[in-house]
Amino acid sequence: MTRLSFFPVDNGDMTLVTTSNEKTVLIDCNIRDVTGEDPPPDVVKQLKERLKKDDKGRYYVDVFMLSHPDQDHCRGFQANFYCGPAADYPEKSEKIFIKELWSSPLIFRRKLRHETLCPDAITFNTEARRRVKKYRNAGGAVSDGDRILVLGEDEDNKQRGIEAIVVKCDTRFSKIAGIAQSNFEGYLLAPVPKGSEDEEEMRSKNNSSIIVQFKIGEGVNADACRFLTGGDADVSIWDRLWEKHKNATDVLKYDILLAPHHCSWHTLSHDSISDLGDKAKVSEPAKSALSQIRDVGRIVASCKEILDDDDDPPSHRAKEEYEKIADKRFHETSDFCGEPFEFDIKSHGPVIRSKASASSFARKDAAAGLIGSGAIGHG
Ligand SMILES: [Zn+2]
């Protein structure tokens, strides 16, 4: 079943793409502790229910892609995914085996200009380096568990000898774990190659992330669903993407958009709401970049419940902007009773599979004035 699954991870991302030939691409993870009182949904259990086991009895993903090394995008990586040489996978381990990693050293470097890495990000980076080294040492002859794709060009000398596993910005790629796909393709929109010192400083401060437009095919339609995903990339990055692609917007078109940065206001605006209130303005280029919706496309926010308050992310005003873009077809991952929010990809396009919780309908009806606040009052 060709499917797109958004796991209920509060303010964080964890998205699984299952292609028409059952390849699995997991983008980010935010796996919280489920041992305490009132635990969050067990997303590892939910994930494993959607994965297959290989001939050694291991759960596996074909690809794990990390959009950027923030904690809410890699929490639980070390505890739940196997790292190290494929041949050394311990017997009886419950860890998920990763056939191929998709990583961007450039984004790690941008993050490190101002911040340190959390332990999960260090583990991911160490594993990515191990795989690149293995590739070099083996002259490219690597197999599942040691494979890596590097998304984005780095400085030349750093990637000499590994050109075959580097995906350049503004190019398409369609192999999963070394196998060419007919119903799956990515177009790499970011990271852009290393720029001037000013440009690097701007990008490091604006949550530089891997941004990809995926084409997920079904049956004879290789373009059944376009999925645009961009981690936590902020407004300046979307502004620049619009400047670059405004005359050829096809690479920004989507049927499903994962609202960047958990529906943050700072994806859409340079202004601070706390300083400017209602005068805070949307940045038109960034909004245009995120408005290239096709037909009855939808926008998904991976975040906690969006209330009409001052929180950010998720921001209520950002939600209002996305509702305008998608003509109200806006969904929050918190609305599905702790279950993943899922689309089945049919040959004519994506179809929602999940049912929203009764409470979310009640809340929306209340917001729409369909339920008066005094309806069940005591007065
Ligand atoms: Zn985030």
Side-chain angles (χ1 to χ4, degrees):
M1 180 62 82
T2 315
R3 191 168 286 168
L4 198 48
S5 310
F6 298 92
F7 293 88
V9 293
D10 217 75
N11 279 8
D13 283 353
M14 182 162 164
T15 310
L16 181 70
V17 180
T18 307
T19 70
S20 63
N21 59 347
E22 299 188 305
K23 303 286 179 195
T24 47
V25 177
L26 183 66
I27 304 166
D28 297 340
C29 67
N30 187 28
I31 300 167
R32 294 167 290 167
D33 183 8
V34 292
T35 56
E37 255 180 63
D38 194 19
D42 188 345
V43 292
V44 173
K45 181 166 170 278
Q46 294 171 346
L47 174 63
K48 285 181 172 174
E49 285 166 1
R50 287 157 177 78
L51 299 181
K52 291 195 294 187
K53 285 183 174 176
D54 63 13
D55 55 6
K56 296 189 173 68
R58 306 176 289 205
Y59 283 106
Y60 70 91
V61 289
D62 290 283
V63 171
F64 186 105
M65 172 179 125
L66 180 61
S67 69
H68 67 296
D70 279 2
Q71 176 84 84
D72 58 319
H73 296 258
C74 60
R75 183 178 277 113
F77 180 80
Q78 189 172 7
N80 293 286
F81 293 87
Y82 172 68
C83 294
D88 297 350
Y89 185 93
E91 238 179 275
K92 301 216 169 95
S93 169
E94 291 291 308
K95 288 191 175 181
I96 298 167
F97 185 76
I98 301 169
K99 289 189 178 178
E100 183 169 78
L101 271 193
W102 292 359
S103 173
S104 174
L106 193 57
I107 281 174
F108 271 87
R109 215 162 302 125
R110 283 175 182 158
K111 163 108 177 160
L112 281 166
R113 284 170 86 98
H114 298 285
E115 292 169 76
T116 53
L117 296 176
C118 64
D120 282 307
I122 292 170
T123 301
F124 181 94
N125 202 21
T126 305
E127 175 65 5
R129 285 164 177 272
R130 181 194 73 76
R131 291 183 182 216
V132 170
K133 193 171 167 198
K134 170 93 184 178
Y135 179 91
R136 285 186 188 280
N137 291 344
V142 292
S143 49
D144 292 347
D146 291 325
R147 296 181 193 276
I148 183 162
L149 214 54
V150 175
L151 302 191
E153 300 159 83
D154 216 327
E155 290 131 276
D156 274 350
N157 55 355
K158 289 206 171 73
Q159 292 179 333
R160 198 165 294 147
I162 63 162
E163 292 85 351
I165 54 166
V166 174
V167 176
K168 291 183 177 178
C169 186
D170 292 312
T171 63
R172 296 181 191 282
F173 55 104
S174 59
K175 277 187 181 173
I176 293 180
I179 302 168
Q181 304 294 309
S182 56
N183 262 342
F184 177 86
E185 182 181 277
Y187 182 94
L188 187 68
L189 289 156
V192 299
K194 189 168 184 284
S196 64
E197 184 55 26
D198 286 353
E199 189 68 17
E200 287 304 294
E201 185 64 10
M202 184 285 288
R203 291 190 183 277
S204 68
K205 284 189 169 152
N206 280 279
N207 290 321
S208 201
S209 296
I210 292 172
I211 304 177
V212 182
Q213 179 210 51
F214 289 109
K215 278 187 193 173
I216 307 164
E218 169 60 29
V220 293
N221 186 2
D223 197 10
C225 176
R226 293 193 188 184
F227 171 47
L228 180 61
T229 181
D232 285 358
D234 275 354
V235 59
S236 300
I237 290 171
W238 294 102
D239 278 352
R240 278 167 162 74
L241 268 184
W242 181 247
E243 289 307 320
K244 191 174 180 183
H245 297 288
K246 64 184 174 188
N247 296 319
T249 56
D250 194 61
V251 295
L252 294 169
K253 293 262 191 275
Y254 62 82
D255 300 292
I256 299 172
L257 166 71
L258 180 60
H261 202 180
H262 327 299
C263 201
S264 163
W265 175 245
H266 296 286
T267 301
L268 292 168
S269 174
H270 297 272
D271 294 348
S272 153
I273 291 182
S274 51
D275 292 347
L276 295 172
D278 288 347
K279 291 202 180 75
K281 278 211 267 316
V282 163
S283 171
E284 287 305 325
K287 186 178 172 183
S288 298
L290 291 162
S291 296
Q292 303 305 309
I293 191 164
R294 295 202 302 184
D295 304 328
V296 288
R298 294 175 184 275
I299 298 178
V300 177
S302 183
C303 55
K304 61 183 185 174
E305 186 179 353
I306 305 177
L307 302 171
D308 191 358
D309 60 16
D310 295 334
D311 272 13
D312 187 16
S315 148
H316 192 263
R317 273 197 65 194
K319 172 182 168 172
E320 290 175 336
E321 292 299 330
Y322 288 123
E323 284 186 326
K324 280 186 241 168
I325 293 169
D327 194 18
K328 301 269 185 206
R329 294 183 303 273
F330 175 90
H331 307 273
E332 301 164 34
T333 51
S334 59
D335 268 354
F336 298 90
C337 304
E339 290 295 316
F341 176 41
E342 297 188 291
F343 294 87
D344 285 336
I345 314 297
K346 308 284 189 185
S347 57
H348 61 274
V351 175
I352 294 178
R353 172 186 164 78
S354 311
K355 284 192 173 59
S357 66
S359 71
S360 86
F361 281 126
R363 182 158 43 79
K364 277 174 187 153
D365 286 351
L370 298 175
I371 301 175
S373 57
I376 49 167
H378 300 280

